[in-house]
């Protein structure tokens, strides 16, 4: 029988808050109940915002909380070459293309379309989709702009990717014990990598979950819809999909999602105030 493998995968770009504590402890509880393994992964591809100090603080908070993980910790920043290989594969398959419109260009396109009465589509996170019309730019022109050093992102050619897959994709969602149909089309041409970084959250999380043999992804509901993209990438890259468990989020008093920039719910400040790990467990209910 295969041993289930769980992981907690924070980004060390701030301090852990109560929401992370819940997610980490739930992973631990589910891993133990399943007789499984528990890994810690640092999703630190953003080299500007993620620092070794923040990572050390996170590990310290997790130890304090009583979260036990297997070592070594996988640090995504140490595996850019692995992600680059998959990116190259997607480039060769012509499923990604260099896209030159910046965020403000997209906004501009959206505004002029809206003035003409066109309803601009948005992704499940509420961001405007990348203008489909930009795909008309020839590959020659794109190559020229890359050679000229223009900034760009590698975006998934969603229509081509869907055609390539040619069948509906599903993931197993353990919160409801059923198979959910993925809707990657709702995301449009998502960013897969950047000019100076051969990956993105979506690409590296998908690759790492497969490389580390993760069987059960337990993470917040805020990533529920992103799973559609991960499912699509898994299929294209021939990777085994894990089961997913998207847990409820811990909200603040105003019903808003907690954020790393809010100090009052950070484990650091709660520790300083004398709150104990037992009290944190009671607070998040794990
Ligand atoms: N690194 C992501 C975050 O901190 C979570 C990734 C995941 O669990 O899939 O939000």
């Amino acid at each position: 029988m295969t041993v289930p493998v769980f992981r907690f995968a924070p980004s060390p770009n701030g301090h852990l808050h109560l929401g992370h504590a819940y997610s980490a402890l739930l992973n631990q509880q589910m891993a133990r109940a399943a007789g499984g393994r528990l890994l810690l992964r640092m999703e630190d591809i953003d080299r500007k915002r993620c620092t070794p100090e923040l990572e050390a603080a996170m590990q310290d908070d997790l130890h304090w909380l009583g979260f036990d993980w297997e070592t070594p910790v996988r640090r995504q920043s140490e595996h850019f070459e692995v992600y680059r290989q998959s990116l190259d594969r997607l480039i060769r398959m012509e499923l990604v293309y260099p896209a030159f419109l910046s965020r403000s260009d997209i906004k501009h396109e959206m505004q002029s379309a809206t003035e003409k009465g066109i309803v601009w589509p948005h992704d499940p996170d509420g961001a405007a989709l990348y203008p489909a019309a930009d795909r008309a730019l020839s590959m020659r022109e794109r190559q020229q702009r890359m050679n000229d050093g223009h900034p760009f992102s590698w975006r998934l050619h969603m229509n081509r990717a869907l055609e390539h897959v040619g069948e509906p994709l599903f993931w197993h969602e353990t919160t409801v014990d059923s198979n959910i149909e993925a809707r990657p089309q709702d995301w449009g041409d998502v960013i897969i990598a950047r000019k100076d970084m051969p990956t993105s959250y979506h690409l590296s999380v998908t690759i790492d979950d497969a490389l580390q043999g993760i069987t059960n992804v337990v993470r917040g509901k805020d990533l529920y819809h992103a799973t559609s993209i991960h499912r699509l990438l898994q299929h294209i890259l021939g990777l085994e999909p894990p089961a997913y468990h998207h847990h409820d989020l811990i909200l603040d008093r105003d019903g808003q999602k907690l954020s790393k920039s809010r100090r009052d719910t950070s484990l650091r400040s709660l520790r300083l105030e004398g709150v104990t790990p037992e009290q944190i467990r009671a607070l998040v209910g794990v």
Side-chain angles (χ1 to χ4, degrees):
M1 214 189 98
T2 53
V3 177
V5 188
F6 292 72
R7 72 0 176 229
F8 177 56
S11 294
N13 55 13
H15 290 299
L16 294 176
H17 55 57
L18 281 177
H20 296 108
Y22 175 57
S23 200
L25 292 171
L26 187 62
N27 264 286
Q28 179 158 280
Q29 186 184 64
M30 289 177 71
R32 282 182 183 163
R37 298 168 53 203
L38 180 57
L39 310 181
L40 175 65
R41 177 162 77 226
M42 288 291 156
E43 301 213 324
D44 60 350
I45 56 172
D46 183 342
R47 303 312 295 140
K48 285 194 197 90
R49 295 174 61 216
C50 299
T51 65
E53 293 74 27
L54 286 168
E55 183 194 316
M58 269 192 178
Q59 293 207 28
D60 184 57
D61 284 342
L62 288 170
H63 275 303
W64 172 79
L65 194 60
F67 179 82
D68 290 317
W69 63 90
E70 273 178 33
T71 51
V73 169
R74 182 175 173 92
R75 229 169 255 116
Q76 292 190 324
S77 60
E78 293 169 356
H79 300 280
F80 282 126
E81 214 27 64
V82 174
Y83 311 131
R84 176 174 296 285
Q85 283 168 19
S86 291
L87 172 64
D88 285 344
R89 201 164 142 202
L90 294 171
I91 295 172
R92 281 198 302 277
M93 293 170 92
E94 297 185 1
L95 294 182
V96 290
Y97 63 94
F100 296 90
L101 298 185
S102 65
R103 219 182 281 174
S104 69
D105 294 333
I106 301 173
K107 203 168 154 196
H108 198 248
E109 295 258 344
M110 184 176 83
Q111 274 162 356
S112 48
T114 310
E115 276 158 25
K116 290 183 202 133
I118 299 168
V119 180
W120 196 272
H122 285 72
D123 70 25
D125 281 352
L129 293 201
Y130 191 73
D134 188 54
R135 289 191 196 136
L137 197 68
S138 72
M139 223 20 233
R140 219 187 138 120
E141 174 63 21
R142 289 183 203 280
Q143 194 60 53
Q144 186 60 49
R145 291 193 194 180
M146 280 199 284
N147 296 348
D148 293 345
H150 288 275
F152 68 91
S153 300
W154 289 103
R155 285 187 178 264
L156 190 69
H157 193 308
M158 185 56 80
N159 287 354
R160 242 185 240 163
L162 294 172
E163 247 169 61
H164 173 88
V165 171
E167 58 179 279
L169 296 173
F170 297 86
W171 80 79
H172 189 69
E173 176 67 36
T174 56
T175 48
V176 286
D177 193 18
S178 53
N179 292 334
I180 308 289
E181 184 167 349
R183 292 190 51 84
Q185 63 272 28
D186 292 349
W187 290 91
D189 292 2
V190 282
I191 293 180
I192 294 298
R194 296 179 193 272
K195 184 185 175 202
D196 49 4
M197 187 168 71
T199 191
S200 60
Y201 159 63
H202 296 307
L203 185 60
S204 38
V205 78
T206 303
I207 292 174
D208 282 1
D209 283 338
L211 276 184
Q212 295 191 288
I214 305 299
T215 57
N216 296 76
V217 169
V218 176
R219 63 185 178 191
K221 273 208 167 97
D222 50 340
L223 291 168
Y224 181 89
H225 294 290
T227 306
S228 288
I229 305 171
H230 306 164
R231 205 45 212 96
L232 179 66
L233 289 172
Q234 283 155 359
H235 187 94
I236 295 170
L237 297 170
L239 306 172
E240 198 58 43
Y244 290 88
H245 183 100
H246 292 98
H247 60 70
D248 285 338
L249 300 175
I250 306 256
L251 303 176
D252 68 10
R253 279 182 213 94
D254 311 321
Q256 299 292 316
K257 210 174 113 178
L258 301 181
S259 88
K260 288 196 181 105
S261 50
R262 287 266 314 266
R263 294 200 57 224
D264 52 351
T265 60
S266 82
L267 299 185
R268 294 259 115 176
S269 45
L270 294 167
R271 274 172 83 173
L272 276 173
E273 283 167 27
V275 174
T276 65
E278 292 67 38
Q279 287 170 320
I280 302 277
R281 283 171 188 272
L283 213 57
V284 299
V286 183

